[in-house]
Amino acid sequence: GAVVSQHPSRVICKSGTSVKIECRSLDFQATTMFWYRQFPKKSLMLMATSNEGSKATYEQGVEKDKFLINHASLTLSTLTVTSAHPEDSSFYICSAISSLAGGNEQYFGPGTRLTVT
Amino acid sequence: GENVEQHPSTLSVQEGDSAVIKCTYSDSASNYFPWYKQELGKRPQLIIDIRSNVGEKKDQRIAVTLNKTAKHFSLHITETQPEDSAVYFCAASVTGGGNKLTFGTGTQLKVEL
């Protein structure tokens, strides 16, 4: 149980275009999902916290107009990188907390490798 | 906000030896401390976690110790095997405080034959 999927796993896009990444909890409901960015050989940096039915909470330094997050249901959160530039190339990982577990274990998705050319 | 420091950044051990990775945190309100193993290009995998109401937890070859007073916690891997080679991250969070994880900077563990 507690499986989180992400789609796509890899995406290459041209500079200036937008890219949408989906994060789904497959066998549980997640009231809270998190989006992280990980540069090569670096740690995971939290970008934002996504709560179902409400606006995402962004970490300091993360542009909310550039990284649009929508948490439309208890099993789906999306991250849209708008007007992508080469410096946005990174590994984007989502995680989810089960609404039933009562704990704080985060279940991670497999990640999405974004390359902006 | 929370700040988590992790040492060492790289660790090389011989197969069968023990490996120890240490982390310190700054926020005394943190009460949940997971450890993750991440292989290249893969998702982080939870290998063990500890809550602030216990000082030590063990699961086969892996153990974690927590010193709340000193605000540090450590991962201990015994009888290391080549498949233990990966990047290990510690993290800290506050249960109910948004459950946000703050990650350490990571330790590249290499187990040599």
Side-chain angles (χ1 to χ4, degrees):
Chain A
V3 178
V4 176
S5 70
Q6 270 183 252
H7 179 80
S9 57
R10 291 176 177 273
V11 58
I12 300 173
C13 70
K14 292 186 183 298
S15 187
T17 61
S18 295
V19 174
K20 180 185 283 189
I21 302 169
E22 292 186 348
C23 177
R24 292 181 186 272
S25 56
L26 299 184
D27 51 1
F28 66 99
Q29 294 185 329
T31 50
T32 304
M33 290 184 171
F34 301 90
W35 287 96
Y36 296 86
R37 181 168 50 182
Q38 186 177 31
F39 292 109
K41 298 188 177 182
K42 297 293 184 183
S43 187
L44 284 80
M45 297 300 295
L46 180 65
M47 299 175 67
T49 302
S50 169
N51 291 296
E52 187 265 340
S54 63
K55 291 184 179 181
T57 303
Y58 291 81
E59 294 300 301
Q60 191 172 9
V62 178
E63 299 175 58
K64 62 180 181 179
D65 294 329
K66 180 171 180 62
F67 298 99
L68 301 179
I69 291 172
N70 186 291
H71 195 151
S73 76
L74 285 172
T75 58
L76 173 65
S77 176
T78 61
L79 168 67
T80 301
V81 183
T82 63
S83 187
H85 288 95
E87 57 265 31
D88 298 323
S89 298
S90 187
F91 193 49
Y92 291 86
I93 308 175
C94 70
S95 71
I97 292 180
S98 170
S99 60
L100 295 178
N104 45 4
E105 180 177 349
Q106 292 188 21
Y107 302 97
F108 285 86
T112 297
R113 174 76 59 193
L114 170 63
T115 303
V116 185
T117 61
Chain B
E2 175 68 281
N3 181 49
V4 178
E5 296 189 357
Q6 183 172 345
H7 299 280
S9 56
T10 60
L11 179 59
S12 187
V13 300
Q14 294 292 314
E15 183 181 9
D17 287 350
S18 295
V20 180
I21 303 171
K22 298 182 179 181
C23 288
T24 60
Y25 61 99
S26 62
D27 188 351
S28 56
S30 290
N31 56 8
Y32 176 64
F33 307 93
W35 285 89
Y36 295 91
K37 175 184 180 182
Q38 187 181 32
E39 297 177 351
L40 190 62
K42 304 292 186 182
R43 77 185 84 196
Q45 290 181 300
L46 178 70
I47 56 172
I48 196 166
D49 57 12
I50 192 168
R51 300 183 188 275
S52 59
N53 57 347
V54 297
E56 184 173 357
K57 183 177 179 181
K58 188 174 181 180
D59 182 5
Q60 299 184 338
R61 297 187 297 111
I62 296 173
V64 57
T65 58
L66 170 65
N67 183 326
K68 284 193 299 182
T69 303
K71 295 207 212 52
H72 67 69
F73 55 114
S74 301
L75 176 71
H76 304 252
I77 305 174
T78 59
E79 301 172 30
T80 53
Q81 301 167 2
E83 50 266 37
D84 294 330
S85 296
V87 179
Y88 291 80
F89 292 99
C90 63
S93 76
V94 180
T95 303
N99 295 313
K100 296 194 302 183
L101 283 173
T102 301
F103 281 84
T105 47
T107 297
Q108 175 74 63
L109 173 64
K110 184 177 181 181
V111 180
E112 298 177 329
L113 294 171

